[in-house]
């Protein structure tokens, strides 16, 4: 039986600048149970101790290749203190502040990892194969224990896994038309959700101590489904006219941010009653939204897109969060700028009364970047599919262009960057 607990070694996922409480909390035990008939359509847990036959030995410290690996996947962990990189060789984990590689696992047969999902800063990860030579089947979720360098659980499906979300108590697996929710302790299915076509695997879950809130595409274009597991309520929100392109939740699950494939507007909703609380404008031209992220105090929202600019918006929302949640924020944060013609709101199109970003950071247009808020005050962290890492600071009172604090490349030697 594998124990799901914080990794004890200081060489793994422990940073002097980020000793958060959750690293000391006990996590559920992962128990194996018999698999159902493989011919059924039920996801299975493989209990064979030799099931990870795709790697005959634990991953080795393979000498660096002459050319950098291809990046297949990027994701932040739940508190944005780390990020994971899936490559055509294996996977790597990095600390955000200070920036440093924590560890890497290069598989001896050079297998690709298309999804890496961390569970906070502990030794348990979810892996899905990807790339031209996948380490595991793209139809399987492998629960990896990095303390023992082996897989301790497996979930198999009839179609490709699009994304995975982890909580201390739940594993959420997203397929193109379905979402499966499992109890983490036994990998027992507790819920199944039908969705609109979801090739990007859009799904977000709350990470607070309370029962889970889950958001995902609904059954219609532009619709978002909200599952409140505490009250066993389902709420459908008609968020956009176009298909949903990106979504994000606050830690407590009270606020939802959504963007559509049009990519001009971002809307913030109350997940409890489905009401729209604020609408902000990224720009006038169509764009592909790559990521949305709330700050930990829900005072700011960051947006990245294929236009090459990361935007930070000021939020004017309070859904009953304790006042201490906003401790440490600016005393007089700048409001999101409005058009100079906003005084004739209702006469001219919405564009002229839009709320615009208060801070921006320019990147290479066309490259994919995802964004999160840093642990230092008024900072954002940006990682790119090209291997770039940026840490920037914005001025909450005056706004404008962000200040670059750090720039690294995590797939190329510093001399080549």
């Amino acid at each position: 039986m594998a124990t799901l607990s914080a990794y004890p070694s200081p060489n793994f996922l422990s940073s002097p600048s980020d000793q958060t409480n959750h690293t000391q909390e006990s996590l559920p035990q992962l128990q194996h149970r018999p698999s159902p008939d493989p011919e059924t359509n039920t996801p299975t847990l493989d209990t064979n101790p030799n099931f990870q036959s795709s790697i005959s030995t634990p991953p080795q410290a393979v000498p660096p290749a002459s050319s950098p690996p291809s990046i297949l996947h990027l994701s932040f962990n739940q508190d944005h203190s780390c990020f994971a990189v899936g490559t055509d060789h294996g996977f790597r984990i990095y600390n955000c502040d200070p920036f440093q590689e924590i560890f890497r696992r290069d598989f001896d047969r050079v297998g690709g990892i298309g999804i890496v999902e961390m569970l906070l800063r502990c030794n348990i990860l979810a892996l899905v194969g990807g790339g031209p030579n996948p380490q595991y089947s793209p139809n399987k979720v492998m629960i990896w224990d990095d303390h023992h360098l082996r897989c301790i659980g497996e979930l198999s499906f009839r179609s490709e896994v699009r994304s995975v979300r982890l909580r201390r108590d739940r594993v959420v697996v997203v397929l193109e038309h379905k979402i499966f929710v499992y109890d983490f302790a036994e990998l027992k299915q507790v819920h199944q959700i039908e969705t609109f076509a979801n090739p990007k695997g859009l799904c977000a879950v709350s990470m607070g101590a309370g029962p889970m809130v889950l958001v995902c595409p609904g059954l219609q274009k532009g619709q978002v489904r909200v599952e409140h597991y505490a009250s066993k309520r389902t709420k459908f929100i008609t968020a956009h006219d176009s298909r949903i392109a990106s979504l994000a939740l606050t830690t407590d699950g009270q606020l939802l941010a959504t963007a559509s494939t049009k990519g001009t507007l971002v809307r913030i909703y109350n997940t409890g009653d489905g009401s729209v609380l604020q609408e902000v404008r990224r720009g006038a031209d169509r764009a592909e939204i790559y990521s949305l992220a709330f700050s930990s105090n829900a005072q700011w929202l960051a947006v990245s897109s294929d236009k090459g600019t990361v935007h930070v918006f000021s939020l004017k929302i309070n859904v009953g969060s304790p006042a201490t949640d906003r401790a440490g924020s600016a005393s007089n944060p700048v409001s999101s700028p409005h058009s100079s013609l906003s005084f004739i709101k209702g006469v001219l199109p919405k564009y002229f009364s839009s709320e615009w970003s208060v801070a921006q950071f320019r990147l290479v247009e066309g490259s994919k970047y995802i964004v999160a808020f840093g642990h230092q005050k008024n900072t954002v962290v940006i990682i790119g599919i090209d291997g770039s890492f940026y840490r920037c600071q914005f001025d909450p009172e005056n706004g404008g262009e962000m200040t670059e604090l750090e720039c690294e490349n995590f797939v190329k030697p510093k001399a080549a960057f």
Side-chain angles (χ1 to χ4, degrees):
M1 181 183 297
T3 301
L4 196 60
S5 58
Y7 194 83
S9 170
N11 295 323
F12 178 79
L13 299 188
S14 64
S15 166
S17 63
D18 184 29
Q19 295 295 333
T20 52
N21 290 334
H22 61 68
T23 61
Q24 303 302 322
E25 296 179 12
S26 60
L27 295 170
Q29 290 185 327
L30 189 63
Q31 300 177 351
H32 297 298
R33 64 186 181 85
S35 303
D37 185 344
E39 294 303 315
T40 66
N41 196 32
T42 305
T44 62
L45 171 66
D46 193 330
T47 59
N48 183 343
N50 297 315
F51 74 86
Q52 65 272 28
S53 57
S54 54
I55 49 172
S56 56
T57 59
Q60 304 296 317
V62 178
S66 56
S67 60
S70 297
I71 296 177
L72 305 178
H73 170 87
L74 293 173
S75 64
F76 288 99
N77 71 338
Q78 292 85 352
D79 66 1
H80 304 154
S81 62
C82 299
F83 66 94
V85 181
T87 75
D88 57 355
H89 293 100
F91 65 93
R92 305 176 182 185
I93 304 296
Y94 294 84
N95 196 70
C96 290
D97 188 13
F99 170 79
Q100 62 182 20
E101 181 179 308
I102 301 175
F103 77 99
R104 68 174 67 188
R105 300 291 177 247
D106 289 329
F107 294 105
D108 53 5
R109 71 179 187 89
V110 195
I113 299 295
I115 296 174
V116 188
E117 179 73 4
M118 299 179 66
L119 177 56
L120 297 168
R121 297 179 68 92
C122 81
N123 54 297
I124 301 299
L125 303 95
L127 305 178
V128 179
N133 184 31
Q135 176 69 20
Y136 310 110
S137 167
N139 294 12
K140 293 182 178 182
V141 176
M142 314 299 289
I143 306 299
W144 175 269
D145 182 347
D146 204 77
H147 184 56
H148 295 97
L149 293 178
R150 67 183 184 91
C151 292
I152 56 174
E154 175 182 327
L155 294 165
S156 299
F157 303 89
R158 289 186 176 272
S159 60
E160 185 174 334
V161 175
R162 299 298 185 179
S163 67
V164 182
R165 300 289 180 263
L166 298 181
R167 280 174 44 112
R168 294 184 182 90
D169 58 347
R170 293 289 183 265
V171 179
V172 180
V173 181
V174 185
L175 310 183
E176 185 156 352
H177 293 278
K178 289 183 181 180
I179 294 177
F180 294 94
V181 181
Y182 298 88
D183 172 77
F184 212 147
E186 299 181 352
L187 291 186
K188 179 180 179 181
Q189 183 181 322
V190 296
H191 196 201
Q192 178 177 324
I193 301 170
E194 303 280 340
T195 70
F196 194 75
N198 186 16
K200 294 174 68 175
L202 300 178
C203 180
V205 298
S206 62
M207 288 305 300
M212 184 170 70
V213 177
L214 179 151
V215 295
C216 63
L219 292 170
Q220 301 173 13
K221 180 177 66 175
Q223 185 184 70
V224 176
R225 175 174 182 154
V226 184
E227 289 289 337
H228 294 272
Y229 286 89
S231 57
K232 299 181 179 179
R233 291 187 301 114
T234 301
K235 182 72 181 178
F236 289 95
I237 300 173
T238 303
H240 300 272
D241 294 329
S242 305
R243 292 177 58 166
I244 303 298
S246 187
L247 45 79
L249 272 179
T250 50
T251 300
D252 59 11
Q254 292 191 59
L255 299 180
L256 162 69
T258 67
S260 74
T261 51
K262 189 174 180 182
T264 54
L265 297 173
V266 178
R267 296 189 175 113
I268 297 89
Y269 293 89
N270 181 329
T271 59
D273 59 16
S275 60
V276 60
L277 302 174
Q278 192 171 344
E279 179 181 279
V280 297
R281 180 174 288 276
R282 180 212 56 80
D285 299 331
R286 295 183 71 97
E288 182 178 357
I289 303 296
Y290 290 137
S291 67
L292 303 171
F294 286 98
S295 62
S296 59
N297 59 12
Q299 186 180 5
W300 308 99
L301 178 74
V303 181
S304 66
S305 74
D306 64 348
K307 292 298 183 181
T309 302
V310 169
H311 296 269
V312 172
F313 297 88
S314 174
L315 302 182
K316 312 173 189 65
I317 297 167
N318 191 330
V319 194
S321 298
T324 54
D325 284 357
R326 291 180 178 267
S329 61
S331 56
N332 294 296
V334 64
S335 297
S336 296
H338 288 70
S339 164
S340 60
L341 298 178
S342 60
F343 66 92
I344 49 177
K345 181 179 180 181
V347 179
L348 291 177
K350 272 188 173 182
Y351 177 87
F352 294 102
S353 60
S354 297
E355 293 185 48
W356 298 81
S357 61
V358 300
Q360 308 82 32
F361 188 74
R362 316 292 174 180
L363 297 157
V364 178
E365 185 171 348
S367 188
K368 183 176 181 178
Y369 300 92
I370 61 175
V371 63
F373 284 89
H375 283 202
Q376 293 191 33
K377 188 176 180 181
N378 304 325
T379 60
V380 296
V381 175
I382 305 163
I383 53 177
I385 203 72
D386 58 356
S388 56
F389 170 93
Y390 297 92
R391 195 163 56 85
C392 313
Q393 188 168 43
F394 61 94
D395 186 333
E397 295 184 3
N398 300 313
E401 293 291 328
M402 297 188 221
T403 302
E404 181 183 302
L405 302 177
E406 190 172 7
C407 178
E408 304 282 352
N409 190 292
F410 49 85
V411 295
K412 296 178 182 177
K414 285 190 175 182
F417 182 47

